[in-house]
Amino acid sequence: MSYPTVRLAFLLLLSGFAFAQSTKPPVPLPLPQVPRPIVSVLYPKCSPGWDWSFNSLRQNPCHMAALLLAECSPDGSYLVPALKPNQTYVNTREGAGPCMCNTVTYSLLSACGACQDRDYMDWAGWVYNCTEIVEPSIYPKPVPNDTCVPDWARLNPEVGGTWDEIGSMEAGRCPETCGGNTNRTCD
């Protein structure tokens, strides 16, 4: 046997001996408090002229949508990709859970597409794969502490069949629903 092999065998023998000699039960160590994972979101920027769609935290609709959808992601992250020409955001069968099958997410992602100078789906196309649709103007989870949902994102697209850009501009952002279920009124 070579020296490293003998040394490894000796260490294994000592380790086994040490474990075999211990008759006390293991002492459990207290686990450290693990904070909520840091939300990791990626989102595109909006073209100039879309400031009206930002919330009071200066987050664009793509950013707000990513933060809301990260709440439904197992790892606390979500990517809203930038759209290429002739692309729209689509609610796929795999993603068609409550976090996608609601008017708030639909409105935010429609505005996200529009602010990139891209098109957006109509409401019927958005909910096509949904087995259950959340009540209009409601997001099914608590709004995360690091964002606010503007009033325009709560407009009901079922009325006109699609997201209403002009109606959203007129509705404005106030009041906003922020994390902790607080409402903000605007100055």
Side-chain angles (χ1 to χ4, degrees):
M1 267 201 263
S2 69
Y3 176 73
T5 305
V6 171
R7 185 174 177 197
L8 178 61
F10 180 71
L11 289 173
L12 289 174
L13 179 65
L14 283 178
S15 298
F17 181 74
F19 288 122
Q21 293 297 316
S22 178
T23 57
K24 295 181 183 178
V27 177
L29 297 175
L31 294 175
Q33 291 292 329
V34 178
R36 179 177 169 231
I38 294 173
V39 174
S40 172
V41 296
L42 297 172
Y43 55 91
K45 294 187 185 319
C46 287
S47 302
W50 282 87
D51 290 357
W52 66 265
S53 68
F54 291 26
N55 64 16
S56 61
L57 302 174
R58 306 300 305 146
Q59 296 167 337
N60 73 27
C62 308
H63 190 174
M64 290 180 267
L67 288 168
L68 290 180
L69 291 168
E71 289 294 304
C72 301
S73 171
D75 66 356
S77 64
Y78 199 84
L79 164 67
V80 174
L83 294 175
K84 295 177 181 168
N86 301 317
Q87 286 185 329
T88 61
Y89 293 112
V90 177
N91 187 2
T92 64
R93 178 169 278 123
E94 295 79 31
C99 289
M100 289 293 277
C101 296
N102 66 80
T103 60
V104 175
T105 299
Y106 167 75
S107 294
L108 289 170
L109 286 175
S110 295
C112 178
C115 83
Q116 297 173 69
D117 300 319
R118 304 292 183 253
D119 207 357
Y120 46 89
M121 296 188 84
D122 64 12
W123 175 246
W126 184 260
V127 296
Y128 179 78
N129 288 314
C130 298
T131 56
E132 186 178 329
I133 300 169
V134 176
E135 183 179 335
S137 306
I138 303 286
Y139 188 72
K141 298 235 180 212
V143 174
N145 288 332
D146 48 0
T147 194
C148 295
V149 175
D151 193 46
W152 65 260
R154 296 190 180 282
L155 296 179
N156 187 351
E158 294 175 338
V159 174
T162 191
W163 176 67
D164 182 1
E165 181 179 339
I166 294 170
S168 294
M169 287 175 75
E170 291 171 352
R173 76 169 198 255
C174 298
E176 294 179 311
T177 304
C178 300
N181 289 324
T182 60
N183 288 330
R184 285 191 189 169
T185 55
C186 298
D187 303 334

